């Protein structure tokens, strides 16, 4: 249920702007975006660094040359470069939208109290981080973007049956993407056959009473959500929905309440690129999220949502080409929210 928006009082002004065509992206701005995307695509197309994830066998078989970039603007314009149609599995990017569902239904306090909103400083599927969180204060010292927190967040989506919970999860993703998404069955099967570690994490989270319902069901739903197929355009639309107050700029549908968006973005900024989240934020200032399928989404609040799909990953599990391309494009478009509109050159050192 979407609550009434605090931004409602601005609607007459927005309506007026639409009426006189002022919210439409200017041709110049669209050309600047296209130039930035085309340049990044050309620069990184032949980059061979990184390696597909292979701990889920189906991911190892994905074409490593797949490379697509999409950006979605306030008025729903989609600017692209490369292959933005081929689907990959959404993987950990799904965690953002399940978290958004829980925040929308239960309020931001539920995530903060039950899971936490702090970086763990450990790998995304760390079990030690759970033990550590218990030891240092007994309280939640995790976040919904690492597996223990993510499986717990999935368990918090309410529903009388697994089907009901799934309908809520996929319905939320569809609202953000602006179309009906489906599970890639080959990935779901491959991940279900090899997700013993996540099953163990689910059990542990149940033993420690973070998960109050059946942990096997939560882990299975989590595995299913990770297997949803998306292309670069879907992901950019999902990112843009977060960039523009929870309203999908392509369909006009309010996916989550505007007041809940800052909580989602804050966790993305804190933990979206796992061990490299600080480094990423340092260079881009953009809340972002990666997935081992090769996608990364990033949000420039009020400006654009961007996504890149390219399967080869670095040691931290983040797509190599996606990180580089988003960094360049955002610099060219002054996307850094901390930059206050001042043009920033792309740093020549570091990743
Ligand atoms: O839990 C897993 O292993 C995967 N389904 C998702 C992991 C993932 O995408 C981590 N990402 N960077």
């Amino acid at each position: 249920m979407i609550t009434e928006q605090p931004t409602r009082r601005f609607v007459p002004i927005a309506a007026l702007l639409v009426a006189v065509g002022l919210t439409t992206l200017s041709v110049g701005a669209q050309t600047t975006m296209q130039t930035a995307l085309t340049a990044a695509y050309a620069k990184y197309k032949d980059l061979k660094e990184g390696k597909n994830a292979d701990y889920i066998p189906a991911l190892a078989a994905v074409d490593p040359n797949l490379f697509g970039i999409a950006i979605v603007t306030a008025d729903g314009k989609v600017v692209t470069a490369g292959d933005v149609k081929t689907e990959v599995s959404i993987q950990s990017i799904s965690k953002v939208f399940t978290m958004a569902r829980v925040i929308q239904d239960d309020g931001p306090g539920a995530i903060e109290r039950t899971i936490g909103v702090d970086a763990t400083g450990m790998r995304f599927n760390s079990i030690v981080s759970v033990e550590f969180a218990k030891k240092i204060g007994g309280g939640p010292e995790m976040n919904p973007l690492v597996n223990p927190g993510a499986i717990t967040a999935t368990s918090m989506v309410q529903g009388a049956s697994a089907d009901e919970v799934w309908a809520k999860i996929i319905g939320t993703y569809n609202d953000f993407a602006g179309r009906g998404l489906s599970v890639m069955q080959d990935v779901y099967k491959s991940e279900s056959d090899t997700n013993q570690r996540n099953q163990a994490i689910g059990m542990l989270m149940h033993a420690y009473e973070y998960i109050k319902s059946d942990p096997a069901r939560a882990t299975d739903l989590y595995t299913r959500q990770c297997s949803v197929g998306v292309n670069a355009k879907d992901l950019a639309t999902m990112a843009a929905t977060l960039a523009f107050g929870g309203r999908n700029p392509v369909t006009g549908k309010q996916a989550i309440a505007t007041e809940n968006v800052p909580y989602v973005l804050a966790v993305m900024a804190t933990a979206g690129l796992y061990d490299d989240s600080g480094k990423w934020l340092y260079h881009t200032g953009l809340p972002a999220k990666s997935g081992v399928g090769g996608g990364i989404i990033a949000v420039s609040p009020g400006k654009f949502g961007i996504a890149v799909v390219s399967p080869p990953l670095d040691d931290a599990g983040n797509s190599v080409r996606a990180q580089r391309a988003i960094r360049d494009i955002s610099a060219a478009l002054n996307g850094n929210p901390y930059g206050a509109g001042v043009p920033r050159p792309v740093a020549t050192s570091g990743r």
Side-chain angles (χ1 to χ4, degrees):
M1 180 74 180
I2 306 292
T3 54
E4 198 166 73
Q5 298 306 295
T7 50
R8 258 187 101 215
R9 63 182 179 279
F10 298 120
V11 167
I13 299 170
L16 191 68
L17 291 175
V18 169
V20 295
L22 287 182
T23 60
T24 305
L25 191 68
S26 72
V27 175
Q30 209 175 325
T31 309
T32 306
M33 283 190 173
Q34 187 64 67
T35 305
L37 262 68
T38 306
Y41 182 79
K43 185 170 167 190
Y44 298 118
K45 184 168 62 73
D46 298 320
L47 184 71
K48 295 290 179 221
E49 284 174 41
K51 192 170 155 298
N52 281 26
D54 57 8
Y55 73 97
I56 300 168
L59 301 188
V62 177
D63 178 5
N65 296 314
L66 171 62
F67 185 27
I69 311 174
I71 204 163
V72 176
T73 64
D75 59 350
K77 285 260 161 19
V78 186
V79 181
T80 70
D83 182 345
V84 296
K85 289 202 173 136
T86 301
E87 291 184 359
V88 294
S89 51
I90 188 168
Q91 295 298 336
S92 279
I93 301 171
S94 68
K95 294 166 177 168
V96 170
F97 302 97
T98 299
M99 164 174 66
R101 177 79 258 153
V102 176
I103 290 175
Q104 180 64 36
D105 289 345
D106 300 347
I111 287 281
E112 190 175 8
R113 281 190 305 273
T114 309
I115 298 169
V117 290
D118 281 312
T120 64
M122 292 178 210
R123 285 193 68 79
F124 70 88
N125 57 3
S126 167
I127 288 170
V128 173
S129 69
V130 180
E131 297 296 333
F132 195 67
K134 275 240 117 3
K135 196 165 172 216
I136 57 177
E141 289 288 337
M142 279 174 271
N143 65 73
L145 301 183
V146 289
N147 288 14
I151 298 169
T152 304
T154 301
S155 80
M156 291 167 75
V157 178
Q158 288 155 24
S161 63
D163 285 350
E164 238 180 80
V165 173
W166 177 249
K168 269 200 187 166
I169 291 173
I170 194 70
T172 303
Y173 296 6
N174 292 345
D175 287 348
F176 274 95
R179 75 173 180 105
L181 303 170
S182 339
V183 169
M184 299 176 88
Q185 291 300 334
D186 58 328
V187 177
Y188 176 49
K189 178 165 187 340
S190 181
E191 187 160 350
S192 298
D193 288 346
T194 53
N195 71 348
Q196 289 78 14
R197 187 180 178 97
N198 283 342
Q199 292 177 39
I201 289 173
M203 283 292 183
L204 186 64
M205 294 306 276
H206 183 58
Y208 286 165
E209 296 176 351
Y210 294 96
I211 293 181
K212 312 270 190 231
S213 52
D214 176 5
R217 180 176 109 170
T219 307
D220 178 56
L221 285 164
Y222 165 80
T223 306
R224 224 191 287 180
Q225 77 177 46
C226 287
S227 309
V228 167
V230 283
N231 57 38
K233 193 174 157 230
D234 296 325
L235 289 173
T237 309
M238 295 171 101
T241 301
L242 291 170
F244 301 111
R247 180 180 174 275
N248 184 319
V250 178
T251 64
K253 184 160 189 190
Q254 194 74 35
I256 57 164
T258 303
E259 69 212 30
N260 287 329
V261 171
Y263 298 107
V264 176
L265 295 180
V267 184
M268 290 169 72
T270 303
L273 265 70
Y274 301 111
D275 314 20
D276 280 352
S277 297
K279 218 183 290 174
W280 171 262
L281 201 63
Y282 192 74
H283 285 287
T284 67
L286 301 180
K289 184 72 202 87
S290 62
V292 290
I296 296 186
I297 61 169
V299 176
S300 179
K303 289 193 173 170
F304 58 79
I306 185 168
V308 177
V309 167
S310 169
L313 312 177
D314 65 12
D315 291 343
N318 301 313
S319 166
V320 176
R321 283 198 198 106
Q323 290 177 80
R324 306 251 179 113
I326 294 173
R327 208 169 120 174
D328 280 16
I329 293 164
S330 178
L333 303 178
N334 297 325
N336 188 334
Y338 302 119
V342 179
R344 299 177 75 241
V346 183
T348 49
S349 63
R351 272 194 291 178

